[in-house]
Amino acid sequence: MKKSLLLFALGLATVMPAKAQWTNWNTTSAISGVFGVLNHSIESAERKKAMEIQAREKIEYEQTFKDAMESARDYEGGEYWDDALTKYEEAAKLNCKYGYTDQMQITRKINGLYVKAGRTDDGPSILNNAKTILPDYSGYRYVRENPVYVNKKVTNTKIARIACSSTETRLEMEFESSYVNFGMYVRGTAYIKGNKGGKLGLSGVENITMAPAETKIPWPGQRLRFVLIFPPLPDDATEFDFIVPSSEWKFKDIRCK
């Protein structure tokens, strides 16, 4: 099939220009169209082959997945937390690739075992909140958990807390990954803008990297808690916007008083 299309394209290149009414543009378009069909045919064949390989591998590794899950439960029942965590992560790798079951169930097991195994610094996950939550917010003039704001596009990132003081404006953010080994970062162009003042650029971050470096989130359903720090808003500001240009991160009308 591919060979026939190629020969047909070459034939067009040879025969078509001989006819007076056929222009160079016609020839180029015809050949381009034929090669477009050829490329589409090749891509379709490659996709079909990849899907067939994926289907065979899913069957091939299904028992390995089941064995890992069974071993993980056995270790968990015996309170061998490190071994259980290792086996659940082994199962998660296969599950993310082949989709044997709901990954959120396995992710919850992994998150829980971080605590039991004394590995709460692993992850990152929702469990690393201690890295981002200040022990004492009493010096801040305004602190609000789950503040109200307007955001029409982002669904997997939220502002979990804001804290305003005379020295900084602190945004505690929470991101939930939908993909395996997701790379998360913050752009240096991020800024806030109060209704009583101009733009204030990013001055610091906690528990996340600045672009182009990435903070990896291993499993779908894990949450990364991080902090963005900006200069202080004016005392008379009552609300502000948080914007990252050229992105979906546009959180508006955030109350700060």
Side-chain angles (χ1 to χ4, degrees), residues 140-179:
Y140 288 72
R141 67 171 181 265
Y142 183 83
V143 179
R144 180 67 180 268
E145 291 191 37
N146 300 313
V148 176
Y149 52 80
V150 176
N151 188 298
K152 297 180 179 179
K153 292 185 177 181
V154 176
T155 58
N156 58 356
T157 308
K158 71 175 185 178
I159 301 176
R161 178 187 281 113
I162 62 169
C164 305
S165 74
S166 59
T167 60
E168 67 179 18
T169 304
R170 185 180 177 90
L171 275 64
E172 291 183 14
M173 310 288 293
E174 189 176 285
F175 170 82
E176 182 173 318
S177 175
S178 301
Y179 304 98

Side-chain angles (χ1 to χ4, degrees), residues 49-66 93-100:
K49 184 177 180 181
M51 290 174 64
E52 290 173 350
I53 293 172
Q54 178 87 356
R56 287 198 302 270
E57 288 181 347
K58 182 174 182 178
I59 295 171
E60 179 183 352
Y61 290 107
E62 184 172 10
Q63 190 58 52
T64 304
F65 167 77
K66 290 179 178 179
K93 289 178 183 178
L94 292 170
N95 193 59
C96 287
K97 187 170 183 179
Y98 300 115
Y100 296 113

Side-chain angles (χ1 to χ4, degrees), residues 56-202:
R56 287 198 302 270
E57 288 181 347
K58 182 174 182 178
I59 295 171
E60 179 183 352
Y61 290 107
E62 184 172 10
Q63 190 58 52
T64 304
F65 167 77
K66 290 179 178 179
D67 290 343
M69 288 292 289
E70 185 177 352
S71 295
R73 296 188 189 101
D74 289 343
Y75 283 131
E76 190 177 11
E79 299 186 357
Y80 299 106
W81 310 127
D82 281 305
D83 292 328
L85 179 55
T86 297
K87 282 298 179 180
Y88 274 123
E89 289 185 324
E90 182 182 318
K93 289 178 183 178
L94 292 170
N95 193 59
C96 287
K97 187 170 183 179
Y98 300 115
Y100 296 113
T101 189
D102 178 14
Q103 176 58 34
M104 290 299 293
Q105 296 178 9
I106 304 177
T107 296
R108 284 192 288 270
K109 286 289 188 182
I110 290 171
N111 289 347
L113 285 166
Y114 284 155
V115 176
K116 293 178 179 178
R119 290 166 52 183
T120 52
D121 285 340
D122 287 5
S125 72
I126 193 69
L127 303 173
N128 59 22
N129 282 357
K131 294 181 180 178
T132 64
I133 297 176
L134 287 180
D136 182 12
Y137 280 100
S138 61
Y140 288 72
R141 67 171 181 265
Y142 183 83
V143 179
R144 180 67 180 268
E145 291 191 37
N146 300 313
V148 176
Y149 52 80
V150 176
N151 188 298
K152 297 180 179 179
K153 292 185 177 181
V154 176
T155 58
N156 58 356
T157 308
K158 71 175 185 178
I159 301 176
R161 178 187 281 113
I162 62 169
C164 305
S165 74
S166 59
T167 60
E168 67 179 18
T169 304
R170 185 180 177 90
L171 275 64
E172 291 183 14
M173 310 288 293
E174 189 176 285
F175 170 82
E176 182 173 318
S177 175
S178 301
Y179 304 98
V180 63
N181 206 29
F182 187 88
M184 187 68 174
Y185 58 79
V186 173
R187 297 176 185 173
T189 54
Y191 68 87
I192 61 173
K193 184 177 181 181
N195 62 339
K196 300 292 183 179
K199 295 181 181 179
L200 299 171
L202 188 66

